[in-house]
Amino acid sequence: MDATLENTLKEGKLRRQIDALIVAHLRGENLNQAAAIVASATMTSLTTEVSPNRLLELVSKGLVAERDDGLKGLSSTSFLNVTGGLPSMPNMVNAIDFSAMQDVKGSSKNFPKHESRHVSEHKNIARCARFSPDGQFVATGSSDYSIKLLEVSKIKQMMVSEAREGPIRPVIRTFYDHAEPINDLDFHPQGTILVSGAKDNTIKFFDFSKTVARKAFRVIQDTHNVRSVSFHPSGEFLLAGTDHHLPHLYDVNTFQCYLSSNVQDLNMISPINQVRYSISGSLYVTASKDGSILLWDGVTAQCIRKIVGAHGLTETTCASFTKDQRFVLSCGKDSTIKLWEVGTGRLVNQYLGAVHTQLRCQAVFNETEEFVLSIDEPNNEVVIWDALTAEKVARWHSNHVGVPRWLVHSPTEPAFITCGTDRSVRYWKEVL
């Protein structure tokens, strides 16, 4: 065969494979209209059997290979370029098929026993916490206006008594730059940047690579109380949920704020309790004080689905995506935790048996998404459910004097943090 013809055929086959990957990816993101347009333009079948995660897997491997060749992908002009390096793609996991829950009743798994340790204390209520994407750090925010950064490896040393050769202090930085209580925190996906949102209407950027820095090096002045913050996986955009009814999308280099333009028919008047991006950034979710959940296109910032009354007439206090982006886990002041299908807005399951009606309660998956964790306020307990069967598998006293206000799980290992109204921060890890 002529070499030119052979190369042309190979290139054509590669293009068809790329087109199929793009269509499968778009369908997996529930962007069916976009998938249909691409399929029509490229004459690709919409019913391709390619895994929806395959494109992300290949991109992730390619970025790792490019990094290993010594290339650097971050712009040197970005003010967030404090560490360099390539944007890290999420580790792809075997997603749990939550749509099959009705077939697995009675087969709940056991949640491993954990031990907890008091690792830090604020001067007022510990209001929120967040792990870094690599699980190496955790930050906590308080009503005393301070933010503490803890190194997880030092927490682990503290919990192993025989390893002590002197006092181990896991708090490696404390930041003082807000004038009101801290509501939420997030880590930049690549750099050593921590952001905070607070009641003083500001979002502040802290560089924790600098050992002596106690103040923010950049500040976004919002118009409202900033209730929640979430970085886009690229690190180039930051989403803020505030007392305003629309999510505020900021370009982190220019600080320009963008608002969605298709909100006329949404009847949105309620403040936003929480905002969270999906793992790829193609979607984001907002949890509102009016009990609703809204799903947004991460590219166009258009609302694509509104789940009205997701938690009745009570507040939806949190909402976050599963790793495969097919479902959203939400928690509300109606004492329910619910799992929703992104593509249809259908209620898939709910986790009952824990009362939370007062605080901004969080419901989270563990690192494998096999379990759901939350708080029972009257009994001051951490409650754990099997994520598939929705059966309660454990109830543990929180070991806080007051009810925990916040719970967050490590993204990389069997460990989680609880923050208390008693001002304390406790670290929980699996007992081996």
Side-chain angles (χ1 to χ4, degrees):
M1 183 184 296
D2 179 79
T4 302
L5 176 60
E6 184 177 3
N7 289 336
T8 300
L9 291 174
K10 286 182 178 179
E11 182 177 341
K13 183 178 180 180
L14 179 60
R15 289 183 179 276
R16 288 193 298 273
Q17 290 175 325
I18 293 173
D19 293 338
L21 286 168
I22 294 172
V23 170
H25 173 72
L26 291 172
R27 292 192 65 195
E29 300 291 324
N30 296 296
L31 301 174
N32 295 321
Q33 184 177 1
I37 292 172
V38 173
S40 176
T42 60
M43 293 183 289
T44 302
S45 173
L46 267 174
T47 58
T48 176
E49 296 183 359
V50 176
S51 167
N53 287 331
R54 184 60 177 158
L55 182 59
L56 285 176
E57 292 173 356
L58 291 173
V59 171
S60 179
K61 291 177 180 178
L63 288 174
V64 170
E66 189 178 41
R67 180 193 62 202
D68 291 344
D69 286 340
L71 298 177
K72 301 297 181 182
L74 286 180
S75 170
S76 60
T77 61
S78 171
F79 79 82
L80 289 181
N81 185 29
V82 294
T83 59
L86 280 162
S88 56
M89 292 297 292
N91 292 326
M92 303 312 299
V93 298
N94 293 324
I96 296 174
D97 185 6
F98 290 105
S99 61
M101 282 188 289
Q102 65 273 16
D103 300 323
V104 293
K105 296 294 184 183
S107 59
S108 298
K109 298 178 181 178
N110 292 322
F111 190 69
K113 183 176 176 58
H114 283 55
E115 61 178 329
S116 73
R117 177 74 180 267
H118 176 282
V119 294
S120 180
E121 187 167 307
H122 286 273
K123 294 178 181 178
N124 206 325
I125 295 171
R127 292 172 55 84
C128 58
R130 197 74 170 265
F131 278 92
S132 61
D134 58 11
Q136 294 184 25
F137 302 96
V138 63
T140 62
S142 171
S143 293
D144 66 8
Y145 314 163
S146 75
I147 300 165
K148 295 192 176 188
L149 180 71
L150 296 85
E151 191 170 345
V152 172
S153 62
K154 291 186 176 181
I155 296 176
K156 293 177 181 177
Q157 292 176 36
M158 173 191 281
M159 296 182 74
V160 181
S161 57
E162 61 268 21
R164 289 190 183 178
E165 297 179 355
I168 297 174
R169 296 181 174 86
V171 177
I172 61 172
R173 306 279 187 276
T174 302
F175 300 107
Y176 303 96
D177 207 19
H178 280 286
E180 294 287 344
I182 317 299
N183 288 322
D184 199 13
L185 303 157
D186 198 13
F187 286 85
H188 189 272
Q190 294 96 40
T192 55
I193 303 298
L194 174 68
V195 296
S196 56
K199 286 188 175 183
D200 59 9
N201 299 1
T202 66
I203 301 168
K204 301 205 171 185
F205 292 68
F206 301 91
D207 182 356
F208 60 87
S209 69
K210 295 178 168 56
T211 58
V212 297
R214 295 293 181 267
K215 302 290 185 179
F217 72 94
R218 286 289 180 96
V219 179
I220 295 177
Q221 182 66 57
D222 201 279
T223 53
H224 295 75
N225 168 25
V226 182
R227 293 173 169 270
S228 184
V229 287
S230 180
F231 265 117
H232 186 277
S234 69
E236 296 298 316
F237 298 95
L238 182 72
L239 198 60
T242 73
D243 278 351
H244 190 250
H245 58 275
L246 291 177
H248 295 181
L249 179 61
Y250 287 97
D251 183 311
V252 299
N253 291 303
T254 66
F255 284 6
Q256 184 172 350
C257 181
Y258 301 92
L259 300 178
S260 178
S261 60
N262 75 325
V263 296
Q264 293 82 3
D265 301 325
L266 294 176
N267 191 29
M268 296 174 61
I269 58 173
S270 179
I272 295 172
N273 277 328
Q274 193 166 87
V275 292
R276 291 293 184 262
Y277 268 107
S278 67
I279 196 169
S280 70
S282 61
L283 297 168
Y284 56 89
V285 62
T286 57
S288 299
K289 284 186 68 105
D290 64 4
S292 65
I293 297 170
L294 280 76
L295 296 166
W296 305 77
D297 186 303
V299 177
T300 65
Q302 303 292 294
C303 180
I304 58 177
R305 177 161 290 107
K306 182 177 183 181
I307 304 174
V308 179
H311 289 275
L313 299 176
T314 67
E315 297 182 31
T316 302
T317 53
C318 74
S320 59
F321 290 93
T322 53
K323 293 177 183 178
D324 64 3
Q325 308 177 124
R326 294 176 57 201
F327 303 92
V328 163
L329 184 72
S330 70
C331 183
K333 288 188 176 181
D334 60 350
S335 297
T336 68
I337 299 163
K338 297 182 178 181
L339 191 68
W340 308 88
E341 188 173 52
V342 169
T344 63
R346 176 177 65 96
L347 177 63
V348 175
N349 209 350
Q350 54 184 338
Y351 308 88
L352 305 174
V355 176
H356 31 85
T357 61
Q358 302 299 318
L359 301 176
R360 191 164 49 125
C361 186
Q362 304 295 298
V364 299
F365 284 107
N366 73 325
E367 83 284 5
T368 62
E369 296 189 338
E370 295 175 283
F371 299 95
V372 172
L373 294 79
S374 192
I375 299 296
D376 180 272
E377 292 175 351
N379 296 305
N380 194 8
E381 291 178 329
V382 177
V383 184
I384 301 100
W385 294 262
D386 183 296
L388 277 176
T389 67
E391 178 185 355
K392 286 195 298 293
V393 294
R395 298 182 71 105
W396 300 331
H397 193 277
S398 74
N399 296 324
H400 287 274
V401 176
V403 178
R405 183 183 178 87
W406 196 277
L407 184 153
V408 63
H409 202 282
S410 168
T412 59
E413 60 182 327
F416 60 94
I417 286 279
T418 52
C419 294
T421 53
D422 61 354
R423 306 180 301 180
S424 70
V425 177
R426 299 193 70 89
Y427 182 84
W428 300 69
K429 74 178 185 69
E430 182 177 334
V431 178
L432 301 177

